[in-house]
Amino acid sequence: MKLKDLAERLGWELKTRNVPLEAEVQTGYSSDLLSDVLANSIEGDLWVTRQTHLNIVAIAVMRDLSGILLANGAEPDPDTLEKAAEKMVPIFRTTLPTFEVVGRLYQLGVTGAR
Amino acid sequence: MLELSMHILDIAQNSLAAGSTRVEIRIWENLPEDLLVIEVKDNGRGIPGEMLSRVMDPFVTSRTTRPVGLGLSLLKEAAERCEGCLEVHSEEGRGTKVVARFRLDHFDRAPLGDMGATMGILISGNPEVDFLYEHQVDGQTYGLETGEMRKILGPIGLDDPSVLRFVQQDIQTGLKKIGAATFPKIMEVLR
């Protein structure tokens, strides 16, 4: 499913304006340990985390992730948003906890296949 | 804890619980050596020798050593997660010094967070205690000391709301000026 359709279906708030949301999302990864994401995420993953600082954008760029979903109502830091807009990394926010939102993503066909 | 400033607040609160009248917080960021060091030093009652060896054990500390709490074991974990370490030096009746070392540019190092808010809470909540906060980035230093502030403020107490605002702003602009709170190599990815 396209990133924008997932966001609409699951009611996420888009935090980065003017970024393309057409990417087809097939896989995802969830972790709050940045080194773990760097090691185990794959290109195109949607990353679910509750880390909010600037380094998450660096990870998304390095791993070519399709986007970042902040769980549990976490708000991105202002400099995170600024850099995400510049680097065209979509950041979303949901009030649901990670476990819930990952379950819903799985039901919509997004898996953790490596 | 997601930010180092939260760890610092926690450790400084240990110092206050130990009856300290002076708490010194120092942070060094050393870019060439890829090192970030946090030191919290107090003149509180100290930790007895037999307890000192156990303060970093989360199961022991959270139950039996009331004034210490869980903070030290969390800080130890945060430091070790990014190739750092934690040292606790203490002398009964003299005080305690906690030193945490982190690899500056490690992806799992927690960001500094809001030191303005942390110092604001500590100072305004404990106006009778002397606080020092010093932050060094490659030789450039920012510093704030409540002893000096008291002289300038005169009759205005350190718990006055205007003081809280001043502390927060001064720290935020001061840290920006010396280029604190960075991940220099990680940020190269985002150039």
Side-chain angles (χ1 to χ4, degrees), chain A residues 25-31 40-48 65-67 102 105-106 109-114:
Chain A
V25 181
Q26 273 152 6
T27 57
Y29 196 73
S30 175
S31 174
N40 296 310
S41 63
I42 56 173
E43 186 183 333
D45 270 349
L46 174 66
W47 174 23
V48 185
L65 306 180
S66 56
V102 167
L105 278 165
Y106 205 93
V110 179
T111 74
R114 300 291 84 171

Side-chain angles (χ1 to χ4, degrees), chain B residues 12 14-24 40-47 89-98 128-131:
Chain B
N14 287 348
S15 296
L16 296 168
S20 308
T21 56
R22 184 173 174 85
V23 180
E24 300 178 356
V40 180
K41 192 172 133 194
D42 69 45
N43 64 351
R45 68 178 76 93
I47 306 166
H89 308 273
S90 193
E91 212 180 313
E92 252 191 295
R94 299 286 301 273
T96 301
K97 185 167 91 173
V98 174
E128 71 294 344
V129 176
D130 275 332
F131 286 97

Side-chain angles (χ1 to χ4, degrees), chain B:
Chain B
M1 282 180 241
L2 290 167
E3 293 171 339
L4 297 178
S5 59
M6 303 305 281
H7 285 283
I8 293 169
L9 180 61
D10 195 272
I11 302 303
Q13 276 164 346
N14 287 348
S15 296
L16 296 168
S20 308
T21 56
R22 184 173 174 85
V23 180
E24 300 178 356
I25 297 166
R26 290 187 175 83
I27 301 176
W28 293 272
E29 293 182 48
N30 186 326
L31 279 60
E33 286 181 33
D34 195 11
L35 183 69
L36 183 145
V37 182
I38 297 173
E39 179 185 289
V40 180
K41 192 172 133 194
D42 69 45
N43 64 351
R45 68 178 76 93
I47 306 166
E50 80 277 4
M51 213 182 265
L52 192 56
S53 55
R54 299 185 303 163
V55 288
M56 286 182 258
D57 179 336
F59 295 102
V60 174
T61 57
S62 62
R63 278 179 289 151
T64 54
T65 61
R66 261 302 150 229
V68 177
L70 200 62
L72 282 173
S73 57
L74 289 177
L75 180 58
K76 183 173 191 263
E77 214 244 72
E80 287 175 353
R81 198 163 53 215
C82 47
E83 296 169 38
C85 59
L86 181 73
E87 288 165 29
V88 183
H89 308 273
S90 193
E91 212 180 313
E92 252 191 295
R94 299 286 301 273
T96 301
K97 185 167 91 173
V98 174
V99 185
R101 286 166 211 277
F102 303 78
R103 215 178 99 193
L104 180 70
D105 239 320
H106 196 290
F107 267 112
D108 297 326
R109 175 172 72 76
L112 182 66
D114 192 345
M115 279 308 293
T118 286
M119 292 313 298
I121 292 166
L122 287 171
I123 293 168
S124 61
N126 308 275
E128 71 294 344
V129 176
D130 275 332
F131 286 97
L132 167 84
Y133 171 42
E134 218 173 75
H135 196 127
Q136 237 183 65
V137 182
D138 281 347
Q140 278 198 293
T141 308
Y142 165 81
L144 181 118
E145 225 212 326
T146 52
E148 281 169 32
M149 286 171 65
R150 261 192 217 100
K151 275 186 231 156
I152 297 163
L153 288 166
I156 308 167
L158 286 170
D159 48 359
D160 192 275
S162 64
V163 175
L164 178 65
R165 277 198 302 277
F166 167 79
V167 166
Q168 289 180 336
Q169 262 176 19
D170 196 64
I171 290 176
Q172 273 154 18
T173 52
L175 292 186
K176 209 171 215 173
K177 221 170 169 179
I178 61 167
T182 53
F183 290 83
K185 282 186 214 117
I186 294 175
M187 283 309 113
E188 272 170 30
V189 177
L190 296 175
R191 285 265 157 74

